Amino acid sequence: MIRFENVTKRYRGTSRPALSGVDFEVQRGEFVFLVGASGSGKSSCLRLILREDVPTTGRVAVLGRDLRSLANRKVPYFRRHIGSVFQDFRLLPSKTVYQNVAFTLQVTGSSRGFIQQAVPEALALVGLDGKQKRMPHELSGGEQQRVAIARALVNRPQVLLADEPTGNLDPATSVDIMQLLARINAGGTTVLMATHEAGFVDQMQRRVIELRDGEMVRDEVHGGYGDTSNIPRLAPEEVRGAAAAAALTAVQEVQRQTADLSVVRAALAEELTAQRRAESTAADAVPRASETPEAQAAPIEPQIDEVPVVAPAAVASRTHPIVLPEVDVAELGVADRLGLSDDGTEEVGPTS
Ligand code: ADP
Ligand code: MG
């Protein structure tokens, strides 16, 4: 779906390449974190995928197209298959929420009927129905990012690129956005997210591609920083711990939303019983782990099963994994309508 072949990117007037010999492939339906310190080349990678820029040497192929041979006039059509969101939201300040989401559809010539159906559905998907007439400045940061995500999804892209989408948000709001991206991915959309927030990476246990000074230093299917002692920490311990705890909550929340509730309840009850049993034996000697400040900072050991695209049976348990059933993506409601379900077709927006 996305392939980098020995990609090097040198910007004019710079001595060191921004990307050097980068080589990876992302499959349809994957959720991939692109991590690395500021300046390591994350945004450069995303710009190459969007064909906002071209490699100096090497090859980038996206959705089966070699971007080097993609004619300039075809670039706008190509980009309709790719949604993107950024740290700074990039909404049109003088347009309402509805108009912001409808705007690209209008300029690319979608029918009025399609727009009237797709825009409210995209807004509902991100939890913003009822705020259609608000102006961006009347929204919180998290809500503005949701508008940006709705706008990115309204054209039913196969890939969603997110460049530090939580970079301007507080931890709790970041969790909401992370949760939303996980849900979008559970519906079948390939998600590539650049971030330096290791907490999410630790807890989500998805694939991690790490860049350092433009070079790929890691490509790990079940990534995470928490249990990798020889990798430098990307954030101070407290921040990392708080974000990790928050991300764990997000993962559990996604499960609650997508999995069969009765099974989840039974599994959680079992989990609770096991925890209580463990606590009652250990309670006298040490304070409860969850109450110590160390618990906040310590990496929470996730046992999240890597699962097929439509079955986000993610599991997070300190004691033993809870295995959840496969999820019927149709339960996600409008996801199907928005082309977020993985039905094996190559359906794309009506304007392509
Ligand atoms: P990240 O997103 O990981 O912070 P970037 O991809 O933005 O990293 O930047 C990688 C390197 O390329 C940095 O050294 C940055 O200064 C440089 N760079 C990025 N964009 C340009 C540009 N348009 N012109 C010159 N140098 C650039
Ligand atoms: Mg960047």
Side-chain angles (χ1 to χ4, degrees):
M1 179 150 255
I2 298 170
R3 196 164 71 241
F4 274 54
E5 288 173 18
N6 201 16
V7 169
T8 293
K9 176 66 194 173
R10 251 175 235 283
Y11 291 104
R12 205 165 297 171
T14 59
S15 52
R16 200 171 49 78
L19 293 173
S20 182
V22 174
D23 218 45
F24 66 84
E25 182 162 8
V26 175
Q27 305 292 340
R28 180 182 172 89
E30 275 194 281
F31 191 119
V32 181
F33 286 110
L34 194 56
V35 306
S38 177
S40 59
K42 305 181 295 293
S43 297
S44 295
C45 271
L46 298 183
R47 278 198 299 272
L48 293 177
I49 296 169
L50 265 175
R51 184 48 156 80
E52 284 181 359
D53 213 337
V54 289
T56 311
T57 60
R59 207 168 80 102
V60 177
V62 179
L63 299 169
R65 296 161 181 84
D66 181 345
L67 299 192
R68 202 173 28 185
S69 57
L70 186 72
N72 282 339
R73 65 187 161 79
K74 290 193 174 167
V75 169
Y77 297 94
F78 161 74
R79 288 203 187 125
R80 286 177 208 171
H81 303 290
I82 303 175
S84 40
V85 292
F86 304 91
Q87 181 171 351
D88 54 358
F89 321 138
R90 305 193 185 176
L91 299 179
L92 299 163
S94 60
K95 292 194 181 294
T96 64
V97 165
Y98 183 97
Q99 288 166 339
N100 263 281
V101 178
F103 186 70
T104 4
L105 294 179
Q106 285 161 346
V107 297
T108 54
S110 292
S111 74
R112 188 184 296 207
F114 176 77
I115 294 173
Q116 284 173 351
Q117 188 173 12
V119 175
E121 283 179 359
L123 287 170
L125 183 79
V126 302
L128 281 183
D129 28 8
K131 304 217 165 161
Q132 301 191 356
K133 291 183 178 156
R134 297 278 189 93
M135 301 302 287
H137 75 266
E138 298 173 321
L139 301 175
S140 69
E143 286 170 335
Q144 290 183 50
Q145 191 60 294
R146 282 169 187 273
V147 177
I149 293 171
R151 178 181 57 184
L153 292 178
V154 75
N155 213 17
R156 307 175 181 181
Q158 297 172 58
V159 180
L160 180 63
L161 304 179
D163 195 353
E164 311 251 10
T166 60
N168 277 351
L169 304 174
D170 61 69
T173 311
S174 298
V175 167
D176 292 342
I177 294 299
M178 216 38 242
Q179 193 178 310
L180 178 58
L181 294 178
R183 193 148 51 91
I184 287 161
N185 174 248
T189 307
T190 308
V191 177
L192 184 54
M193 170 173 164
T195 183
H196 60 266
E197 293 183 68
F200 293 138
V201 179
D202 286 343
Q203 291 304 318
M204 300 287 285
Q205 290 288 292
R206 302 299 185 100
R207 181 172 170 196
V208 173
I209 294 174
E210 182 179 359
L211 294 170
R212 196 177 296 160
D213 296 333
E215 289 182 26
M216 232 175 92
V217 293
R218 194 156 61 108
D219 182 1
E220 207 177 346
V221 176
H222 298 266
Y225 285 110
D227 52 3
T228 315
S229 51
N230 57 344
I231 303 279
R233 294 265 151 74
L234 294 189
E237 197 63 58
E238 334 62 85
V239 176
R240 205 175 60 82
L248 175 62
T249 313
V251 171
Q252 288 169 331
E253 182 57 30
V254 172
Q255 286 173 235
R256 270 193 287 278
Q257 287 177 4
T258 54
D260 173 4
L261 275 178
S262 60
V263 177
V264 175
R265 260 190 227 112
L268 288 177
E270 190 191 326
E271 165 72 359
L272 208 58
T273 314
Q275 249 177 34
R276 290 213 178 109
R277 208 176 294 131
E279 279 166 14
S280 65
T281 30
D284 294 342
V286 288
R288 281 161 54 126
S290 59
E291 288 169 3
T292 64
E294 289 85 347
Q296 283 277 305
I300 296 169
E301 190 180 302
Q303 296 171 17
I304 300 173
D305 293 342
E306 192 61 28
V307 291
V309 171
V310 293
V315 168
S317 160
R318 287 184 201 217
T319 48
H320 59 87
I322 305 166
V323 179
L324 297 177
E326 293 209 348
V327 173
D328 180 359
V329 184
E331 283 175 21
L332 298 175
V334 294
D336 194 31
R337 173 71 183 78
L338 282 170
L340 300 175
S341 64
D342 191 4
D343 58 4
T345 63
E346 288 295 309
E347 189 192 9
V348 296
T351 50
S352 57

